[in-house]
Amino acid sequence: MLTSDYVPGDSAVHRARPLIKVGLLFVFCTWLFLQEGWLSLSVAGMALAALLAVARIPPRMVFAAVRPALWVLGLIFLAQLFLADWRFAGFVVLRFAVMILAASLLTLTTRTSDLVEAIEGALSQFLPQRSAEAISLALSLCLRFILRVRDIFDEA
């Protein structure tokens, strides 16, 4: 089994099927990216906070999920500050932070092995089994690599 930051639980978020979570994440992030107002960002943030609460994800895990991206978010803020103004820079950075946290909700409430297995099953409906297995293997290796890089980053 791949290592992950999975937080065991029996919430509705934990019990949701992995592909449903992936689909909802895709829809949520696409919708949020297309929105231009603070109201939609606030609603998305509150909905995400409610889901994190339902899943009983500890605040330290929520912060740990976004912490590695803080320096990138800082650079994005500075770039947007240079190109626009502080309000737009804040909006862009907060929108990215909400998207990162939404993706983290997926990984915190779904075992990596379950996610990879579900994606392989879905791909096998449209691709030959061998191709679905190859893509699934590539995905699992990517996830393992990302987790390992994050662990090294945390040690530094």
Side-chain angles (χ1 to χ4, degrees), residues 5 19 28 33 38 41-42 52 55 62 69 83-84 94-95 106 110 112 114 120 129 132-133 138 140:
D5 283 339
L19 285 180
F28 177 80
F33 195 77
W38 284 95
L41 181 59
S42 299
L52 287 163
V62 174
L83 296 171
L94 287 175
R95 179 169 53 186
L106 171 72
T110 311
T112 304
D114 293 342
E120 181 179 338
Q129 184 64 30
E133 288 172 357
S140 66

Side-chain angles (χ1 to χ4, degrees), residues 24 33 142:
L24 289 174
F33 195 77
C142 286

Side-chain angles (χ1 to χ4, degrees), residues 85-99:
D85 62 16
W86 68 270
R87 279 181 241 128
F88 186 72
F91 175 80
V92 169
V93 166
L94 287 175
R95 179 169 53 186
F96 276 124
V98 168
M99 288 184 208

Side-chain angles (χ1 to χ4, degrees), residues 120 123-138:
E120 181 179 338
L123 289 175
S124 67
Q125 301 296 316
F126 306 103
L127 300 172
Q129 184 64 30
R130 192 168 165 92
S131 297
E133 288 172 357
I135 292 170
S136 177
L137 175 63

